[in-house]
């Protein structure tokens, strides 16, 4: 018999227990953290206050994911398209990793979390890159949850760069076109070494992928919530995982 864990929802949902089976926890959860700006606007506050509060939600989500036994948590923090935003907002977002890690890194280390980052690091300001590099270096031997930040990440850029590297190897005569397999492509993507996400969460009611992990999301289960990212808490994660456990993953076959 499957052992079931009952996790209770808070406040208005208190009537309904969320049933989570410990045997079917998604290995890799990816999150499009969206709605910071609208969360702030609703409160008559500047957008950056939304980003500030979004940072607290990252902490909550990380702890909740760790408690649930999720092994990989990928957080979309800044896309290759987000440079289009006003200079001040971009600058604020680029300062956040520094601030987040100054406050949280010690606790992440205590919790055995390993920080990773995927994206074009070269285009980041030096202070952003430095903060991320330090977090990656200081946690590289940790064996707990892998917290992977997608920072200046774009799915199309990732695939374009991968194709370019394959092309170069073919030109140099070290790779034959027939040797290009799905596994070879996987290994050359920025997420190389990570399993594909089992579950994708997007907040704020938007139902699109926005250039996130285009290759890796091929068979991920998608879960959307109207909650804005700064509101995201453990209850949302439990709801997402409970819904994930009700899905039948067929991968094109039959069940
Ligand atoms: C998500 O919130 C954070 C980033 C994309 C960096 P937004 O800043 O996109 O907030 P909305 O979608 O405008 O409300
Ligand atoms: C996606 O959110 C990028 C991140 C969460 C980092 P956006 O707010 O940039 O996406 P669009 O513009 O609504 O598609
Ligand atoms: Mg947005």
């Amino acid at each position: 018999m499957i052992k079931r864990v009952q996790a209770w929802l808070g406040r208005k949902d208190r009537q309904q227990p969320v049933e989570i089976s410990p045997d079917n926890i998604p290995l890799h959860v990816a999150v499009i953290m969206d709605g910071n700006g609208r969360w702030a606007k609703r409160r008559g506050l500047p957008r950056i206050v939304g980003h500030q509060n979004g940072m607290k939600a990252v902490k909550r989500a990380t702890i909740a994911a760790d408690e649930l036994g999720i092994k990989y948590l990928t957080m979309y923090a800044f896309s290759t398209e987000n440079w289009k935003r006003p200079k001040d907002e971009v600058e604020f977002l680029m300062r956040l990793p520094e601030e987040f890690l100054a406050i949280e890194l010690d606790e992440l280390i205590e919790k055995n979390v390993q920080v990773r980052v995927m994206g074009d690091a070269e285009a980041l300001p030096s202070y952003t890159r430095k903060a991320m590099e330090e977090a990656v270096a200081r946690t590289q031997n940790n064996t707990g949850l892998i917290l992977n930040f997608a920072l200046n990440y774009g799915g199309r850029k990732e695939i374009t760069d991968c194709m370019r590297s394959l092309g170069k190897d073919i030109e140099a005569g070290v790779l034959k076109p027939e040797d290009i397999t799905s596994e070879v492509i996987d290994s050359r993507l920025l997420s190389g070494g990570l399993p594909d996400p089992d579950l994708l969460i997007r907040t704020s009611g938007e139902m699109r992928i926005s250039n996130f992990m285009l290759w890796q999301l091929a068979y991920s289960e998608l879960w959307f919530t109207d909650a804005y990212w700064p509101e995201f808490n453990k209850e949302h994660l439990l709801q997402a995982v409970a819904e994930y456990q009700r899905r039948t993953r067929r991968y094109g076959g039959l069940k």
Side-chain angles (χ1 to χ4, degrees):
M1 211 180 82
I2 302 172
K3 211 176 110 226
R4 290 202 166 263
V5 173
Q6 279 198 340
W8 288 84
L9 286 177
R11 296 192 304 274
K12 61 181 182 293
D13 302 312
R14 205 174 285 279
Q15 268 50 279
Q16 299 163 283
V18 181
E19 289 225 325
I20 306 272
S21 160
D23 304 322
N24 186 22
I25 301 293
L27 185 62
H28 185 176
V29 175
V31 185
I32 303 178
M33 309 184 278
D34 198 16
N36 291 353
R38 278 165 285 163
W39 178 89
K41 201 174 164 200
R42 274 241 176 132
R43 286 160 179 76
L45 298 165
R47 291 178 56 84
I48 56 167
V49 180
H51 298 314
Q52 192 79 39
N53 281 274
M55 205 167 69
K56 296 179 192 160
V58 172
K59 162 89 181 287
R60 284 197 296 276
T62 304
I63 289 178
D66 189 37
E67 281 173 8
L68 256 184
I70 289 163
K71 180 69 191 162
Y72 303 90
L73 183 64
T74 294
M75 310 297 261
Y76 201 8
F78 192 89
S79 78
T80 47
E81 287 71 41
N82 287 145
W83 298 105
K84 294 176 192 164
R85 296 187 179 197
K87 200 168 154 278
D88 287 358
E89 182 171 342
V90 170
E91 157 108 25
F92 189 86
L93 287 166
M94 287 298 148
R95 287 277 172 198
L96 276 186
E98 227 181 1
E99 193 183 332
F100 176 76
L101 294 164
I103 302 169
E104 308 297 354
L105 189 57
D106 286 344
E107 194 180 332
L108 293 178
I109 290 170
E110 220 168 88
K111 291 208 179 305
N112 200 19
V113 170
Q114 186 186 119
V115 176
R116 293 198 198 177
V117 59
M118 62 174 191
D120 180 6
E122 271 173 34
L124 298 173
S126 56
Y127 50 82
T128 315
R129 211 167 48 219
K130 199 169 149 270
M132 294 310 300
E133 280 169 4
E134 190 192 323
V136 170
R138 286 186 58 197
T139 62
Q140 64 180 346
N141 296 321
N142 290 357
T143 54
L145 174 89
I146 291 178
L147 176 59
N148 179 39
F149 287 101
L151 192 60
N152 195 18
Y153 171 90
R156 287 192 170 179
K157 182 172 192 320
E158 176 183 46
I159 293 171
T160 307
D161 289 348
C162 170
M163 287 184 186
R164 214 171 262 174
S165 94
L166 294 169
K168 279 186 181 152
D169 282 2
I170 289 172
E171 194 176 51
V174 296
L175 182 76
K176 292 202 283 289
E178 54 272 31
D179 293 335
I180 299 174
T181 59
S182 187
E183 290 73 26
V184 167
I185 293 172
D186 269 334
S187 70
R188 291 191 188 216
L189 295 176
L190 295 167
S191 59
L194 266 61
D196 289 339
D198 299 293
L199 172 65
L200 172 78
I201 294 174
R202 183 168 187 153
T203 56
S204 88
E206 305 296 354
M207 296 192 191
R208 55 177 169 263
I209 300 297
S210 300
N211 202 15
F212 191 45
M213 302 188 91
L214 300 179
W215 170 275
Q216 299 89 334
L217 291 172
Y219 272 106
S220 306
E221 296 298 326
L222 312 180
W223 187 81
F224 300 99
T225 173
D226 285 337
Y228 294 131
W229 178 250
E231 297 165 331
F232 193 87
N233 58 31
K234 185 177 179 174
E235 294 162 17
H236 295 108
L237 186 68
L238 291 173
Q239 278 176 4
V241 171
E243 169 66 27
Y244 168 83
Q245 295 189 339
R246 288 193 290 272
R247 306 265 177 97
T248 307
R249 302 184 77 184
R250 284 184 288 272
Y251 302 96
L254 301 174
K255 266 268 160 66

